[in-house]
Amino acid sequence: MGKTGRGGAGPAGAVARFDLPESDAFTRPYWDAAAEGRLLLRRCRAEGCGAAHHYPREFCPYCWSEDVGWEAASGRATLYTWSVVHRNDLPPFGGRVPYTAAVVDLAEGPRMMTEITDCPEPALRIGMPLRVHFRDAAATGEAAATGEAGATGDGESSGTTDAGAGFAFPVFRPA
């Protein structure tokens, strides 16, 4: 794992973080955009395909072409399914329970695993319109929003400088 604060590696007393991605040269544009409050997808540029996909891959999962590129997403989605998580022992998730894990259909076509925020569970409905915002990974406990897709956010932060600094995660709320 090799990153401070992840998988138990790090300074003495540091809490292990199980929500941090492994960023590399390929995924860096995705994570940089998320930190700026923008959601990116990959789209196939092969003739006759053109499919968008998420999670980011270096090839098209539909036609196997390696001619794919980054594209800004609209940030719009609809709720496909969800489950309320009441117990999670892995840091930092335990401080967020209960939370709503979900799968959403992005306006561009792909399905995406995410979290629904700012909406009580009884108000959730299959097909409800959603809009992306971003959780600052340095924040702990409750979600800290950093903005919506297409906008640069000036979101809240816990002020800590841990292994999550520089990462933001796309989460969704009712549109």
Side-chain angles (χ1 to χ4, degrees), residues 3-6 15 17 19-21 35 135-140 157-158 160-169:
K3 285 174 46 175
T4 302
R6 182 153 191 242
V15 176
R17 293 283 304 267
D19 63 332
L20 299 179
R135 173 183 291 118
D136 180 346
T140 57
S157 174
S158 66
T160 62
T161 54
D162 66 57
F167 282 107
F169 302 111

PDB file of all heavy atoms in Angstrom, residues 3-6 15 17 19-21 35 135-140 157-158 160-169:
ATOM      1  N   LYS A   3       1.209   4.102   1.366  1.00  0.00           N
ATOM      2  CA  LYS A   3       0.816   5.487   1.523  1.00  0.00           C
ATOM      3  C   LYS A   3       0.510   5.746   2.980  1.00  0.00           C
ATOM      4  O   LYS A   3      -0.119   4.968   3.640  1.00  0.00           O
ATOM      5  CB  LYS A   3      -0.417   5.808   0.679  1.00  0.00           C
ATOM      6  CG  LYS A   3      -0.088   5.935  -0.778  1.00  0.00           C
ATOM      7  CD  LYS A   3      -1.265   6.108  -1.676  1.00  0.00           C
ATOM      8  CE  LYS A   3      -2.284   7.085  -1.250  1.00  0.00           C
ATOM      9  NZ  LYS A   3      -3.332   7.275  -2.233  1.00  0.00           N
ATOM     10  N   THR A   4       0.980   6.882   3.466  1.00  0.00           N
ATOM     11  CA  THR A   4       0.726   7.248   4.844  1.00  0.00           C
ATOM     12  C   THR A   4      -0.763   7.265   5.110  1.00  0.00           C
ATOM     13  O   THR A   4      -1.526   7.814   4.343  1.00  0.00           O
ATOM     14  CB  THR A   4       1.321   8.650   5.125  1.00  0.00           C
ATOM     15  OG1 THR A   4       2.711   8.595   4.846  1.00  0.00           O
ATOM     16  CG2 THR A   4       1.090   9.066   6.553  1.00  0.00           C
ATOM     17  N   GLY A   5      -1.148   6.655   6.207  1.00  0.00           N
ATOM     18  CA  GLY A   5      -2.537   6.671   6.621  1.00  0.00           C
ATOM     19  C   GLY A   5      -3.405   5.650   5.920  1.00  0.00           C
ATOM     20  O   GLY A   5      -4.600   5.624   6.121  1.00  0.00           O
ATOM     21  N   ARG A   6      -2.871   4.799   5.092  1.00  0.00           N
ATOM     22  CA  ARG A   6      -3.691   3.808   4.401  1.00  0.00           C
ATOM     23  C   ARG A   6      -3.181   2.421   4.745  1.00  0.00           C
ATOM     24  O   ARG A   6      -1.998   2.167   4.736  1.00  0.00           O
ATOM     25  CB  ARG A   6      -3.633   4.011   2.896  1.00  0.00           C
ATOM     26  CG  ARG A   6      -4.513   3.008   2.187  1.00  0.00           C
ATOM     27  CD  ARG A   6      -4.995   3.544   0.877  1.00  0.00           C
ATOM     28  NE  ARG A   6      -6.034   2.651   0.393  1.00  0.00           N
ATOM     29  CZ  ARG A   6      -5.944   1.977  -0.728  1.00  0.00           C
ATOM     30  NH1 ARG A   6      -4.920   2.117  -1.508  1.00  0.00           N
ATOM     31  NH2 ARG A   6      -6.914   1.184  -1.090  1.00  0.00           N
ATOM     32  N   VAL A  15      -4.539   7.114  12.108  1.00  0.00           N
ATOM     33  CA  VAL A  15      -5.643   6.197  11.878  1.00  0.00           C
ATOM     34  C   VAL A  15      -5.583   5.724  10.435  1.00  0.00           C
ATOM     35  O   VAL A  15      -5.449   6.519   9.512  1.00  0.00           O
ATOM     36  CB  VAL A  15      -6.992   6.892  12.166  1.00  0.00           C
ATOM     37  CG1 VAL A  15      -8.154   5.982  11.824  1.00  0.00           C
ATOM     38  CG2 VAL A  15      -7.061   7.323  13.616  1.00  0.00           C
ATOM     39  N   ARG A  17      -6.706   4.700   6.840  1.00  0.00           N
ATOM     40  CA  ARG A  17      -7.802   5.146   5.981  1.00  0.00           C
ATOM     41  C   ARG A  17      -8.041   4.081   4.923  1.00  0.00           C
ATOM     42  O   ARG A  17      -7.144   3.740   4.174  1.00  0.00           O
ATOM     43  CB  ARG A  17      -7.449   6.468   5.302  1.00  0.00           C
ATOM     44  CG  ARG A  17      -7.317   7.662   6.228  1.00  0.00           C
ATOM     45  CD  ARG A  17      -8.651   8.225   6.670  1.00  0.00           C
ATOM     46  NE  ARG A  17      -9.529   8.594   5.598  1.00  0.00           N
ATOM     47  CZ  ARG A  17      -9.603   9.805   5.064  1.00  0.00           C
ATOM     48  NH1 ARG A  17      -8.853  10.773   5.522  1.00  0.00           N
ATOM     49  NH2 ARG A  17     -10.443  10.040   4.081  1.00  0.00           N
ATOM     50  N   ASP A  19     -10.571   4.378   2.644  1.00  0.00           N
ATOM     51  CA  ASP A  19     -11.358   4.984   1.574  1.00  0.00           C
ATOM     52  C   ASP A  19     -10.503   5.708   0.548  1.00  0.00           C
ATOM     53  O   ASP A  19     -11.028   6.295  -0.381  1.00  0.00           O
ATOM     54  CB  ASP A  19     -12.378   5.958   2.157  1.00  0.00           C
ATOM     55  CG  ASP A  19     -11.737   7.131   2.882  1.00  0.00           C
ATOM     56  OD1 ASP A  19     -10.610   6.981   3.398  1.00  0.00           O
ATOM     57  OD2 ASP A  19     -12.369   8.209   2.940  1.00  0.00           O
ATOM     58  N   LEU A  20      -9.199   5.671   0.697  1.00  0.00           N
ATOM     59  CA  LEU A  20      -8.335   6.427  -0.214  1.00  0.00           C
ATOM     60  C   LEU A  20      -7.946   5.614  -1.432  1.00  0.00           C
ATOM     61  O   LEU A  20      -7.570   4.459  -1.321  1.00  0.00           O
ATOM     62  CB  LEU A  20      -7.084   6.895   0.524  1.00  0.00           C
ATOM     63  CG  LEU A  20      -7.340   7.828   1.710  1.00  0.00           C
ATOM     64  CD1 LEU A  20      -6.034   8.196   2.380  1.00  0.00           C
ATOM     65  CD2 LEU A  20      -8.100   9.065   1.261  1.00  0.00           C
ATOM     66  N   PRO A  21      -8.015   6.241  -2.609  1.00  0.00           N
ATOM     67  CA  PRO A  21      -7.659   5.527  -3.838  1.00  0.00           C
ATOM     68  C   PRO A  21      -6.158   5.433  -4.007  1.00  0.00           C
ATOM     69  O   PRO A  21      -5.399   6.184  -3.398  1.00  0.00           O
ATOM     70  CB  PRO A  21      -8.247   6.418  -4.928  1.00  0.00           C
ATOM     71  CG  PRO A  21      -8.178   7.788  -4.338  1.00  0.00           C
ATOM     72  CD  PRO A  21      -8.459   7.597  -2.861  1.00  0.00           C
ATOM     73  N   ALA A  35     -11.000  17.013  -7.294  1.00  0.00           N
ATOM     74  CA  ALA A  35     -10.560  17.980  -6.282  1.00  0.00           C
ATOM     75  C   ALA A  35     -10.979  19.399  -6.659  1.00  0.00           C
ATOM     76  O   ALA A  35     -11.136  20.255  -5.792  1.00  0.00           O
ATOM     77  CB  ALA A  35      -9.050  17.894  -6.094  1.00  0.00           C
ATOM     78  N   ARG A 135     -16.984  15.249  -1.783  1.00  0.00           N
ATOM     79  CA  ARG A 135     -16.547  15.174  -0.390  1.00  0.00           C
ATOM     80  C   ARG A 135     -15.029  15.293  -0.370  1.00  0.00           C
ATOM     81  O   ARG A 135     -14.326  14.545  -1.042  1.00  0.00           O
ATOM     82  CB  ARG A 135     -16.941  13.851   0.247  1.00  0.00           C
ATOM     83  CG  ARG A 135     -16.338  13.703   1.659  1.00  0.00           C
ATOM     84  CD  ARG A 135     -16.619  12.393   2.341  1.00  0.00           C
ATOM     85  NE  ARG A 135     -18.029  12.332   2.676  1.00  0.00           N
ATOM     86  CZ  ARG A 135     -18.865  11.425   2.194  1.00  0.00           C
ATOM     87  NH1 ARG A 135     -18.441  10.512   1.366  1.00  0.00           N
ATOM     88  NH2 ARG A 135     -20.119  11.430   2.546  1.00  0.00           N
ATOM     89  N   ASP A 136     -14.559  16.211   0.426  1.00  0.00           N
ATOM     90  CA  ASP A 136     -13.123  16.385   0.623  1.00  0.00           C
ATOM     91  C   ASP A 136     -12.629  15.207   1.456  1.00  0.00           C
ATOM     92  O   ASP A 136     -13.114  14.978   2.560  1.00  0.00           O
ATOM     93  CB  ASP A 136     -12.883  17.711   1.350  1.00  0.00           C
ATOM     94  CG  ASP A 136     -11.433  18.008   1.614  1.00  0.00           C
ATOM     95  OD1 ASP A 136     -10.568  17.107   1.492  1.00  0.00           O
ATOM     96  OD2 ASP A 136     -11.139  19.161   1.962  1.00  0.00           O
ATOM     97  N   ALA A 137     -11.678  14.451   0.940  1.00  0.00           N
ATOM     98  CA  ALA A 137     -11.197  13.261   1.639  1.00  0.00           C
ATOM     99  C   ALA A 137     -10.458  13.598   2.926  1.00  0.00           C
ATOM    100  O   ALA A 137     -10.335  12.751   3.806  1.00  0.00           O
ATOM    101  CB  ALA A 137     -10.294  12.434   0.727  1.00  0.00           C
ATOM    102  N   ALA A 138      -9.976  14.826   3.073  1.00  0.00           N
ATOM    103  CA  ALA A 138      -9.299  15.211   4.310  1.00  0.00           C
ATOM    104  C   ALA A 138     -10.302  15.443   5.432  1.00  0.00           C
ATOM    105  O   ALA A 138      -9.946  15.413   6.602  1.00  0.00           O
ATOM    106  CB  ALA A 138      -8.450  16.469   4.097  1.00  0.00           C
ATOM    107  N   ALA A 139     -11.585  15.662   5.068  1.00  0.00           N
ATOM    108  CA  ALA A 139     -12.624  15.855   6.074  1.00  0.00           C
ATOM    109  C   ALA A 139     -12.966  14.507   6.689  1.00  0.00           C
ATOM    110  O   ALA A 139     -12.898  13.477   6.037  1.00  0.00           O
ATOM    111  CB  ALA A 139     -13.866  16.474   5.441  1.00  0.00           C
ATOM    112  N   THR A 140     -13.344  14.515   7.938  1.00  0.00           N
ATOM    113  CA  THR A 140     -13.738  13.274   8.593  1.00  0.00           C
ATOM    114  C   THR A 140     -15.175  13.385   9.064  1.00  0.00           C
ATOM    115  O   THR A 140     -15.719  14.475   9.176  1.00  0.00           O
ATOM    116  CB  THR A 140     -12.824  12.975   9.806  1.00  0.00           C
ATOM    117  OG1 THR A 140     -12.890  14.088  10.702  1.00  0.00           O
ATOM    118  CG2 THR A 140     -11.396  12.739   9.368  1.00  0.00           C
ATOM    119  N   SER A 157     -13.501  21.980   4.873  1.00  0.00           N
ATOM    120  CA  SER A 157     -12.477  20.979   5.111  1.00  0.00           C
ATOM    121  C   SER A 157     -12.271  20.892   6.600  1.00  0.00           C
ATOM    122  O   SER A 157     -12.535  21.837   7.325  1.00  0.00           O
ATOM    123  CB  SER A 157     -11.172  21.365   4.412  1.00  0.00           C
ATOM    124  OG  SER A 157     -10.159  20.460   4.756  1.00  0.00           O
ATOM    125  N   SER A 158     -11.787  19.758   7.049  1.00  0.00           N
ATOM    126  CA  SER A 158     -11.550  19.593   8.475  1.00  0.00           C
ATOM    127  C   SER A 158     -10.309  20.346   8.914  1.00  0.00           C
ATOM    128  O   SER A 158     -10.060  20.491  10.100  1.00  0.00           O
ATOM    129  CB  SER A 158     -11.379  18.108   8.797  1.00  0.00           C
ATOM    130  OG  SER A 158     -10.202  17.629   8.181  1.00  0.00           O
ATOM    131  N   THR A 160      -7.371  19.281   8.519  1.00  0.00           N
ATOM    132  CA  THR A 160      -6.298  18.341   8.793  1.00  0.00           C
ATOM    133  C   THR A 160      -5.477  18.121   7.540  1.00  0.00           C
ATOM    134  O   THR A 160      -5.943  18.322   6.430  1.00  0.00           O
ATOM    135  CB  THR A 160      -6.853  16.979   9.259  1.00  0.00           C
ATOM    136  OG1 THR A 160      -7.632  16.428   8.206  1.00  0.00           O
ATOM    137  CG2 THR A 160      -7.665  17.108  10.522  1.00  0.00           C
ATOM    138  N   THR A 161      -4.249  17.727   7.734  1.00  0.00           N
ATOM    139  CA  THR A 161      -3.403  17.388   6.595  1.00  0.00           C
ATOM    140  C   THR A 161      -3.044  15.925   6.739  1.00  0.00           C
ATOM    141  O   THR A 161      -2.020  15.568   7.266  1.00  0.00           O
ATOM    142  CB  THR A 161      -2.135  18.263   6.558  1.00  0.00           C
ATOM    143  OG1 THR A 161      -1.481  18.154   7.820  1.00  0.00           O
ATOM    144  CG2 THR A 161      -2.472  19.714   6.293  1.00  0.00           C
ATOM    145  N   ASP A 162      -3.956  15.074   6.313  1.00  0.00           N
ATOM    146  CA  ASP A 162      -3.702  13.642   6.394  1.00  0.00           C
ATOM    147  C   ASP A 162      -3.541  13.084   4.998  1.00  0.00           C
ATOM    148  O   ASP A 162      -3.445  13.815   4.026  1.00  0.00           O
ATOM    149  CB  ASP A 162      -4.817  12.930   7.167  1.00  0.00           C
ATOM    150  CG  ASP A 162      -6.153  12.978   6.463  1.00  0.00           C
ATOM    151  OD1 ASP A 162      -6.215  12.521   5.310  1.00  0.00           O
ATOM    152  OD2 ASP A 162      -7.124  13.452   7.053  1.00  0.00           O
ATOM    153  N   ALA A 163      -3.530  11.778   4.882  1.00  0.00           N
ATOM    154  CA  ALA A 163      -3.321  11.125   3.599  1.00  0.00           C
ATOM    155  C   ALA A 163      -4.424  11.442   2.609  1.00  0.00           C
ATOM    156  O   ALA A 163      -4.241  11.258   1.421  1.00  0.00           O
ATOM    157  CB  ALA A 163      -3.228   9.613   3.796  1.00  0.00           C
ATOM    158  N   GLY A 164      -5.564  11.944   3.052  1.00  0.00           N
ATOM    159  CA  GLY A 164      -6.648  12.279   2.153  1.00  0.00           C
ATOM    160  C   GLY A 164      -6.502  13.627   1.484  1.00  0.00           C
ATOM    161  O   GLY A 164      -7.263  13.964   0.594  1.00  0.00           O
ATOM    162  N   ALA A 165      -5.534  14.424   1.915  1.00  0.00           N
ATOM    163  CA  ALA A 165      -5.371  15.753   1.345  1.00  0.00           C
ATOM    164  C   ALA A 165      -5.185  15.652  -0.167  1.00  0.00           C
ATOM    165  O   ALA A 165      -4.410  14.850  -0.659  1.00  0.00           O
ATOM    166  CB  ALA A 165      -4.184  16.448   1.985  1.00  0.00           C
ATOM    167  N   GLY A 166      -5.935  16.471  -0.890  1.00  0.00           N
ATOM    168  CA  GLY A 166      -5.834  16.490  -2.338  1.00  0.00           C
ATOM    169  C   GLY A 166      -6.820  15.586  -3.041  1.00  0.00           C
ATOM    170  O   GLY A 166      -6.932  15.628  -4.259  1.00  0.00           O
ATOM    171  N   PHE A 167      -7.551  14.772  -2.312  1.00  0.00           N
ATOM    172  CA  PHE A 167      -8.557  13.900  -2.915  1.00  0.00           C
ATOM    173  C   PHE A 167      -9.953  14.401  -2.563  1.00  0.00           C
ATOM    174  O   PHE A 167     -10.190  14.875  -1.457  1.00  0.00           O
ATOM    175  CB  PHE A 167      -8.431  12.455  -2.410  1.00  0.00           C
ATOM    176  CG  PHE A 167      -7.323  11.689  -3.043  1.00  0.00           C
ATOM    177  CD1 PHE A 167      -6.175  11.407  -2.328  1.00  0.00           C
ATOM    178  CD2 PHE A 167      -7.416  11.246  -4.353  1.00  0.00           C
ATOM    179  CE1 PHE A 167      -5.134  10.694  -2.907  1.00  0.00           C
ATOM    180  CE2 PHE A 167      -6.384  10.538  -4.945  1.00  0.00           C
ATOM    181  CZ  PHE A 167      -5.239  10.264  -4.217  1.00  0.00           C
ATOM    182  N   ALA A 168     -10.854  14.267  -3.516  1.00  0.00           N
ATOM    183  CA  ALA A 168     -12.271  14.539  -3.283  1.00  0.00           C
ATOM    184  C   ALA A 168     -13.043  13.424  -3.983  1.00  0.00           C
ATOM    185  O   ALA A 168     -12.626  12.948  -5.042  1.00  0.00           O
ATOM    186  CB  ALA A 168     -12.660  15.900  -3.838  1.00  0.00           C
ATOM    187  N   PHE A 169     -14.154  13.013  -3.375  1.00  0.00           N
ATOM    188  CA  PHE A 169     -14.938  11.909  -3.903  1.00  0.00           C
ATOM    189  C   PHE A 169     -16.280  12.406  -4.409  1.00  0.00           C
ATOM    190  O   PHE A 169     -16.963  13.152  -3.714  1.00  0.00           O
ATOM    191  CB  PHE A 169     -15.166  10.850  -2.824  1.00  0.00           C
ATOM    192  CG  PHE A 169     -13.892  10.299  -2.269  1.00  0.00           C
ATOM    193  CD1 PHE A 169     -13.509  10.582  -0.969  1.00  0.00           C
ATOM    194  CD2 PHE A 169     -13.064   9.518  -3.051  1.00  0.00           C
ATOM    195  CE1 PHE A 169     -12.328  10.084  -0.455  1.00  0.00           C
ATOM    196  CE2 PHE A 169     -11.876   9.013  -2.545  1.00  0.00           C
ATOM    197  CZ  PHE A 169     -11.502   9.300  -1.245  1.00  0.00           C
TER     198      PHE A 169
END
